[in-house]
Amino acid sequence: MSNLPKQVYISEEGPREGFQIEKGPIPTADKVRFVEALAETGLKEVQCVSFVSPTRVPSMADAEKVAATINQKSGVRYTGLWLNKHGLLRAQATPLDPMAWVGLYASETFSVNNQGKGTADLIASQRAVLTYLVEQAIPLEFGIIMTAFGCNFEGDITIGRVLEQVDRLQSLVAEFNLHLPVLKLADTVGWANPDRVMRVIGAIRDKYPEQRLGLHLHDTRGTAMANAFAGLQMGVDSFDSSCAGLGGCPFAGHAGAAGNICTEDLAFMCEEMGISTGLDLDALVACAHLAEEIVGHPLPGKLMRGGTLTHFR
Amino acid sequence: MSNLPKQVYISEEGPREGFQIEKGPIPTADKVRFVEALAETGLKEVQCVSFVSPTRVPSMADAEKVAATINQKSGVRYTGLWLNKHGLLRAQATPLDPMAWVGLYASETFSVNNQGKGTADLIASQRAVLTYLVEQAIPLEFGIIMTAFGCNFEGDITIGRVLEQVDRLQSLVAEFNLHLPVLKLADTVGWANPDRVMRVIGAIRDKYPEQRLGLHLHDTRGTAMANAFAGLQMGVDSFDSSCAGLGGCPFAGHAGAAGNICTEDLAFMCEEMGISTGLDLDALVACAHLAEEIVGHPLPGKLMRGGTLTHFR
């Protein structure tokens, strides 16, 4: 228990993760309202939209409009996800923060299905992106290994394979004399278990002891909170999450793909263990109810129903 | 990770936990159908009903009828919960196994509200029950400390208080030259966090190193699976759970009281970590869907939506 961090950084991805998977069109005004409410909870970073093909992800066709409409509050970063240089250029043309990242998939098949490129092609295109980032003096924020714990197409992923992809990512950024402020491991389709999380993190730590690590977890099979606790025990202090547990990947090859770990449930667990999140749990619960109102169906968050412990103490 | 047990014992409480809290009357035939389906999943123990006051818990008014109708399969224990000697006598008059137990609440207020007795009165009545159990040669199966991690009426519960109640329970059974095959800690109203689970278990282990421990967890605030993982790391190998995450306590003083940890989610996590459960996950998922059909509303289990990993491998 001694390895639990004193504080954690939680990056909110609910608006992007959540609204990209919804079938019904979500009005731009609702997306903006949700982002603005999240910015009042103590969150320092809200991922608002993704700059992806409106043909593949129609729910993100209004990304520029959302970006332009948000009334930005100082002290909060409003980011947009992009998957290639075209998306990055779109992001740069908006008031959103162009969040700079590089990433590879542990599963080659998932890489091709989700991003249209295998590892070699992805590295080539990311090399071009890194060149551009360096030219523009945009700081690199994180690296990510997706499907790091398993894949619906390829099944189990060996730790050796994860390390291979980590090595490739580290070599890629080293070409530019850059380093990864955070290396995130994504359980993209909910295969992780807490023992595995510890082992994968342990293996990366052995090789890259100074590398700060983060977790991007999905709760497809109910293990997300246990996986987060496993990460916390290994000293992981950076998490992506979604308010109310919004989200899911549209290209997971799997109908039951569930949302990210729930922001307020994760923050509650951290705070109860004395790990500071800087977040107002009751305000997050109110955002979770707002999210449910916006999407028009029940969302999986628990704290939003169970309530915080504040008024019991 | 070295402390993870090789196998765990999972006691199914869905029919009792789940149906006691449902507002609409559940037909006896549906209760029986659910119990009989659960018995086909590898579960060795299914808690079918509670023999409590039909005035306080109207949904259990047909307990005797359920008990008489179940077609019992050999190798599976079908049990009924009782809270006092009257309930035990009712259980004994049915074909169900009279599951013998003793328990105290860490929260005095919860004890009074849930069971109508404080610690002293509860000990007195359990002394009478133990006398009867010994006369009847019914083996004692477990002790339980309820509200061991917090209480909606009293707030936080100190570890000292939990130890006090454990001591009282150990002294009580020692009067009869009995011991507790399992001592269960119940997070009755969902206050536990995994760090706390480790600390409470550690404190009990220090004092009673030979005592086998179990966990009865509720997922009120999303921490149940993390709490279970914390328990597993401390070597806990006995869990109560509910298929599909059915359940919740009708007297928790709290509208959002959630069900038990979900049987198939817990079993999935264990199996993925190489901990044997003896359970057929796909059969459990089918039971979870049956439970949803019977109660007529969505239930919180995750694996029932995400699916097992069997067909991906």
Side-chain angles (χ1 to χ4, degrees):
Chain A
M1 287 173 285
S2 53
N3 276 341
L4 291 179
K6 290 209 168 25
Q7 55 184 35
V8 293
Y9 184 79
I10 293 181
S11 170
E12 172 62 36
E13 306 207 336
R16 195 269 304 170
E17 280 272 359
F19 298 152
Q20 86 184 359
I21 203 172
E22 290 298 325
K23 285 211 180 64
I26 309 271
T28 304
D30 279 343
K31 295 182 181 177
V32 170
R33 192 157 59 110
F34 183 50
V35 167
E36 290 179 354
L38 287 167
E40 301 296 327
T41 64
L43 285 163
K44 295 282 169 245
E45 185 175 337
V46 182
Q47 199 175 83
C48 305
V49 295
S50 54
F51 295 99
V52 287
S53 158
T55 317
R56 289 200 83 199
V57 188
S59 55
M60 284 294 151
D62 64 349
E64 273 82 359
K65 205 171 154 197
V66 171
T69 313
I70 293 164
N71 189 3
Q72 293 198 14
K73 177 184 164 150
S74 88
V76 178
R77 293 189 62 208
Y78 301 77
T79 65
L81 180 71
W82 45 268
L83 300 180
N84 52 37
K85 193 173 165 190
H86 175 68
L88 167 58
L89 293 174
R90 281 177 62 194
Q92 271 196 293
T94 73
L96 297 186
D97 216 323
M99 181 191 58
W101 67 288
V102 287
L104 294 174
Y105 295 77
S107 159
E108 199 68 9
T109 315
F110 201 99
S111 184
V112 171
N113 289 13
N114 199 48
Q115 207 150 340
K117 287 185 173 70
T119 298
D121 290 343
L122 207 49
I123 287 177
S125 72
Q126 296 196 338
R127 193 172 276 128
V129 168
L130 282 165
T131 305
Y132 179 76
L133 291 173
V134 170
E135 278 167 21
Q136 297 270 312
I138 301 172
L140 183 63
E141 294 188 34
F142 65 88
I144 186 164
I145 304 293
M146 288 165 281
T147 58
F149 301 98
C151 166
N152 294 348
F153 306 113
E154 297 193 357
D156 292 304
I157 299 286
T158 66
I159 294 178
R161 172 67 181 170
V162 178
L163 281 174
E164 253 176 50
Q165 298 300 73
V166 170
D167 288 346
R168 289 197 172 97
L169 212 51
Q170 298 284 12
S171 301
L172 175 65
V173 300
E175 287 177 30
F176 296 84
N177 292 313
L178 296 172
H179 77 287
L180 301 170
V182 184
L183 171 62
K184 297 183 182 183
L185 302 172
D187 184 24
T188 313
V189 284
W191 279 59
N193 68 66
D195 183 61
R196 186 76 174 180
V197 167
M198 288 178 147
R199 287 178 199 275
V200 173
I201 289 175
I204 297 174
R205 277 272 164 71
D206 283 348
K207 192 152 185 188
Y208 300 98
E210 302 302 323
Q211 178 63 62
R212 186 181 182 193
L213 297 175
L215 283 169
H216 176 106
L217 301 167
H218 282 256
D219 200 28
T220 316
R221 295 173 179 87
T223 59
M225 291 282 279
N227 293 337
F229 177 58
L232 289 165
Q233 287 181 291
M234 297 296 286
V236 171
D237 67 349
S238 173
F239 291 87
D240 299 338
S241 64
S242 283
C243 182
L246 274 163
C249 174
F251 307 110
H254 176 232
N260 278 44
I261 189 168
C262 171
T263 304
E264 62 275 15
D265 293 2
L266 173 62
F268 168 80
M269 182 168 75
C270 288
E271 292 286 343
E272 287 292 312
M273 297 195 293
I275 301 169
S276 171
T277 64
L279 301 178
D280 177 336
L281 295 178
D282 288 304
L284 277 172
V285 164
C287 286
H289 288 297
L290 174 60
E292 227 175 43
E293 185 192 314
I294 291 172
V295 300
H297 58 77
L299 290 168
K302 292 281 182 177
L303 193 71
M304 64 189 288
R305 274 170 253 293
T308 68
L309 298 178
T310 326
H311 63 294
F312 292 120
R313 284 189 168 125
Chain B
M1 288 170 283
S2 54
N3 276 341
L4 292 179
K6 290 209 168 25
Q7 56 185 37
V8 293
Y9 184 79
I10 294 181
S11 169
E12 171 63 38
E13 305 207 337
R16 195 270 303 171
E17 280 271 359
F19 298 151
Q20 87 184 359
I21 203 172
E22 291 297 325
K23 285 211 178 66
I26 309 270
T28 304
D30 279 343
K31 295 181 181 178
V32 170
R33 191 158 62 110
F34 183 49
V35 168
E36 291 179 354
L38 287 166
E40 301 296 327
T41 65
L43 285 163
K44 295 279 169 249
E45 185 175 337
V46 181
Q47 200 175 82
C48 306
V49 296
S50 55
F51 294 100
V52 288
S53 157
T55 317
R56 291 198 82 198
V57 189
S59 55
M60 284 294 151
D62 64 349
E64 273 82 358
K65 206 171 154 198
V66 171
T69 313
I70 294 164
N71 188 4
Q72 293 199 14
K73 178 184 162 148
S74 89
V76 179
R77 292 189 62 207
Y78 301 78
T79 65
L81 180 72
W82 45 267
L83 299 180
N84 52 37
K85 192 172 165 189
H86 176 66
L88 168 58
L89 294 173
R90 280 178 62 195
Q92 272 197 294
T94 74
L96 296 187
D97 216 322
M99 181 190 57
W101 66 289
V102 287
L104 294 174
Y105 294 78
S107 159
E108 198 68 10
T109 314
F110 201 99
S111 184
V112 170
N113 289 14
N114 199 48
Q115 206 150 341
K117 287 186 173 71
T119 299
D121 290 343
L122 207 48
I123 288 175
S125 72
Q126 297 197 338
R127 194 172 276 127
V129 168
L130 283 165
T131 307
Y132 179 76
L133 292 173
V134 170
E135 279 168 20
Q136 297 270 313
I138 301 172
L140 183 62
E141 293 188 35
F142 66 88
I144 187 165
I145 303 294
M146 287 164 283
T147 60
F149 301 97
C151 166
N152 293 348
F153 306 113
E154 296 192 359
D156 291 303
I157 299 287
T158 65
I159 293 179
R161 172 66 181 169
V162 178
L163 281 174
E164 254 177 49
Q165 298 298 74
V166 171
D167 289 345
R168 288 196 173 99
L169 211 50
Q170 298 283 13
S171 303
L172 175 64
V173 300
E175 287 177 29
F176 296 83
N177 292 315
L178 295 173
H179 78 287
L180 301 170
V182 184
L183 171 62
K184 297 184 182 184
L185 302 172
D187 184 24
T188 313
V189 285
W191 279 59
N193 67 65
D195 184 60
R196 186 75 175 180
V197 167
M198 287 178 147
R199 287 177 199 277
V200 172
I201 289 175
I204 297 174
R205 277 273 163 71
D206 283 348
K207 193 151 184 188
Y208 300 98
E210 302 301 322
Q211 177 65 60
R212 186 183 182 191
L213 297 175
L215 283 169
H216 176 108
L217 301 167
H218 282 256
D219 199 28
T220 316
R221 294 172 179 88
T223 59
M225 290 281 280
N227 294 336
F229 177 57
L232 289 166
Q233 287 181 289
M234 298 294 287
V236 171
D237 67 349
S238 172
F239 291 87
D240 299 339
S241 64
S242 282
C243 184
L246 275 163
C249 174
F251 306 110
H254 176 233
N260 278 44
I261 189 168
C262 171
T263 304
E264 61 276 15
D265 292 3
L266 173 62
F268 169 80
M269 181 168 77
C270 289
E271 291 287 343
E272 286 293 312
M273 298 196 293
I275 300 169
S276 171
T277 64
L279 301 178
D280 177 336
L281 295 177
D282 288 304
L284 278 171
V285 164
C287 286
H289 289 298
L290 174 61
E292 228 175 42
E293 184 193 315
I294 290 172
V295 301
H297 58 78
L299 290 169
K302 292 281 182 177
L303 193 71
M304 63 190 287
R305 271 169 255 294
T308 67
L309 297 178
T310 326
H311 62 295
F312 291 120
R313 285 189 169 125

